[in-house]
Amino acid sequence: FQKHEFFVDMTCEGCSNAVTRVLHRLGGVQFDIDLPNKKVCIDSEHNVDTLLETLKKTGKCASYLGEKSAQ
């Protein structure tokens, strides 16, 4: 799997819950949400476009930051 990092304009728990909800609905993803830094790191076989479209379903501004190298 490739780890991808996205910026999502989250301001509160409600925002991060919305992200969690849409990603669970998509399925096949593992992710970490970094609320203070407004980042979502996703581990998935889905392509970036699919993930970005999914994140945008929250109604938040979302953008792709790049691949995160596996530690």
Side-chain angles (χ1 to χ4, degrees), residues 8-62:
V8 182
D9 193 16
M10 301 174 286
T11 48
C12 63
E13 284 291 311
C15 300
S16 62
N17 288 342
V19 170
T20 299
R21 226 173 15 252
V22 294
L23 288 174
H24 275 309
R25 201 173 300 142
L26 177 64
V29 293
Q30 284 184 308
F31 57 93
D32 294 310
I33 296 175
D34 179 351
L35 189 54
N37 295 314
K38 303 186 178 189
K39 281 187 194 165
V40 181
C41 185
I42 305 176
D43 213 347
S44 170
E45 70 249 9
H46 293 290
N47 64 31
V48 172
D49 293 337
T50 303
L51 295 172
L52 195 53
E53 282 307 304
T54 302
L55 289 171
K56 286 182 175 168
K57 286 180 187 162
T58 58
K60 304 278 162 215
C61 175

